[in-house]
Amino acid sequence: MKLATKHLLTIRELTTEEVLGLVARALELKQGWPKGFKPRPLTDKAVAMIFEKSSTRTRVSFEIGVSQLGGHPLFMASRDMQLARSEPLRDTARILSRYADAMVVRTFGQEVVEELATHGSVPVINALTDKYHPCQVMSDLLTVHENLGDVRKPVYAWVGDGNNMAHSWLEAAARLGFELRLACPEGYLPDPEILGHAQTSGAKILLTNDPAEAVEKADVISTDVWTSMGQEEETKKRLKAFSGYCLDRKLLEKAKAAAIVMHCLPAHRGEEISEEVLEGPNSVVWDQAENRLHMQKAIMEALMED
């Protein structure tokens, strides 16, 4: 499939059919790899990977994904680029567009990926910003599909910070129309514009301060660290604010018995999720992490295939 959009900066840029199509294609790539068919749509193509934030899963899954599709990944930490010497982003976008066939960007501000997309001439993929994490939530939808079938039918619960993951879940709900409940403490709520867009999309959105209310009879429960990269100075304040938000056995028991538990990793065991739940029978965290590889291949194929 070929996407109508040139870039993937947010899930909002995708149509409902494209979201479902990417999930289906990622599953095909997963089931067909490594035996049998090996599509190579990135043969002789280079992907510039600009990382201002360190990473394990994002870097490894994108690098291996590019290689499996026949392309060449070029990893660039910001400290190794002229960005470290304040070269304008628009100049970086123009130059990299003449060398590479796409840019994968993991950074802080959403404005960075937007400016690269505006001034570059090749696809830009948002591998994470402080505002959105579209590739993660798209791969999480693949995980839901594998375990529960139609991704539009389950009841989804988010427990924790109203962060980039919560924002991308809101955009997924807006596109697919599923029920999404978010439990976030006061002071850590999602962006009002993103929340409002989802609430007016036809999706059933609940915002609460009570994790138990969000999780009640839910099919899918997701969480994330309480202190993200770049927020380390807020750790003590956040630990206090998020008291009672740990996804433990007691909270999980309020969900459906067959509910699946997801965490985008890395996990702080005993904070946002207990060891018992993370390693328990409801957890699909390791499949979820693997699915980053397959979804990102589907996204790159859809954006870059001639």
Side-chain angles (χ1 to χ4, degrees):
M1 65 178 290
K2 186 74 174 176
L3 298 181
T5 179
K6 182 178 180 179
H7 311 285
L8 181 60
L9 307 185
T10 71
I11 291 175
R12 195 182 303 194
E13 295 169 305
L14 302 173
T15 66
T16 301
E17 293 72 24
E18 286 173 336
V19 172
L20 296 174
L22 284 170
V23 170
R25 181 55 176 158
L27 184 60
E28 287 180 347
L29 290 168
K30 182 176 183 177
Q31 292 175 338
W33 196 276
K35 298 178 181 178
F37 90 127
K38 294 184 179 181
R40 310 281 284 181
L42 270 60
T43 298
D44 297 327
K45 294 183 178 181
V47 177
M49 299 173 52
I50 304 170
F51 278 50
E52 291 192 285
K53 284 190 174 185
S54 59
S55 166
T56 299
R57 282 152 294 279
T58 301
R59 176 179 177 176
V60 173
S61 58
F62 265 112
E63 284 201 20
I64 292 175
V66 171
S67 296
Q68 288 185 352
L69 293 180
H72 175 72
L74 177 63
F75 178 81
M76 296 177 290
S78 58
R79 65 179 179 274
D80 300 325
M81 303 172 62
Q82 293 296 340
L83 285 174
R85 298 185 177 92
S86 301
E87 181 175 45
L89 277 170
R90 61 182 180 274
D91 293 359
T92 298
R94 292 163 178 154
I95 294 301
L96 287 181
S97 294
R98 298 188 179 214
Y99 294 149
D101 299 279
M103 288 180 268
V104 172
V105 187
R106 180 179 169 95
T107 186
F108 293 90
Q110 181 71 13
E111 68 277 3
V112 173
V113 294
E114 291 174 353
E115 187 167 355
L116 290 170
T118 297
H119 294 284
S121 58
V122 298
V124 175
I125 299 173
N126 178 1
L128 175 142
T129 66
D130 288 345
K131 194 169 186 179
Y132 296 108
H133 202 351
C135 292
Q136 177 69 61
V137 169
M138 286 298 300
S139 63
D140 291 354
L141 290 172
L142 170 59
T143 308
V144 173
H145 176 67
E146 287 181 308
N147 287 272
L148 301 176
D150 189 340
V151 295
R152 294 166 292 187
K153 292 183 178 179
V155 174
Y156 294 74
W158 173 261
V159 179
D161 193 9
N163 61 8
N164 52 5
M165 283 292 295
H167 292 161
S168 287
W169 273 119
L170 281 164
E171 297 215 319
R175 274 289 165 263
L176 299 177
F178 55 70
E179 181 176 351
L180 174 64
R181 307 169 188 163
L182 302 102
C184 309
E186 288 296 336
Y188 300 92
L189 306 181
D191 181 283
E193 188 279 328
I194 300 170
L195 177 63
H197 175 262
Q199 289 172 326
T200 58
S201 69
K204 186 176 180 181
I205 307 295
L206 170 69
L207 180 61
T208 178
N209 302 132
D210 183 2
E213 183 180 11
V215 168
E216 183 70 29
K217 302 299 181 184
D219 300 287
V220 180
I221 310 170
S222 296
T223 189
D224 191 8
V225 295
W226 295 337
T227 305
S228 297
M229 194 178 302
Q231 300 171 335
E232 288 80 6
E233 72 282 357
E234 302 176 21
T235 299
K236 290 183 179 180
K237 178 183 176 183
R238 285 174 171 267
L239 286 175
K240 183 177 180 180
F242 285 90
S243 177
Y245 280 76
C246 179
L247 179 50
D248 55 17
R249 174 56 57 182
K250 183 178 179 181
L251 185 58
L252 179 59
E253 286 175 351
K254 297 183 181 299
K256 291 182 181 177
I260 60 172
V261 170
M262 297 198 293
H263 191 305
C264 57
L265 300 178
H268 295 167
R269 290 163 167 84
E271 287 186 13
E272 75 277 358
I273 191 168
S274 69
E275 174 84 11
E276 180 184 17
V277 171
L278 185 66
E279 300 289 353
N282 296 82
S283 174
V284 294
V285 168
W286 318 116
D287 292 336
Q288 177 190 2
E290 178 191 343
N291 284 340
R292 292 292 302 279
L293 170 65
H294 309 297
M295 177 53 71
Q296 281 151 195
K297 286 191 293 185
I299 290 169
M300 289 188 287
E301 179 187 64
L303 287 172
M304 298 177 65
E305 193 169 30
D306 296 328

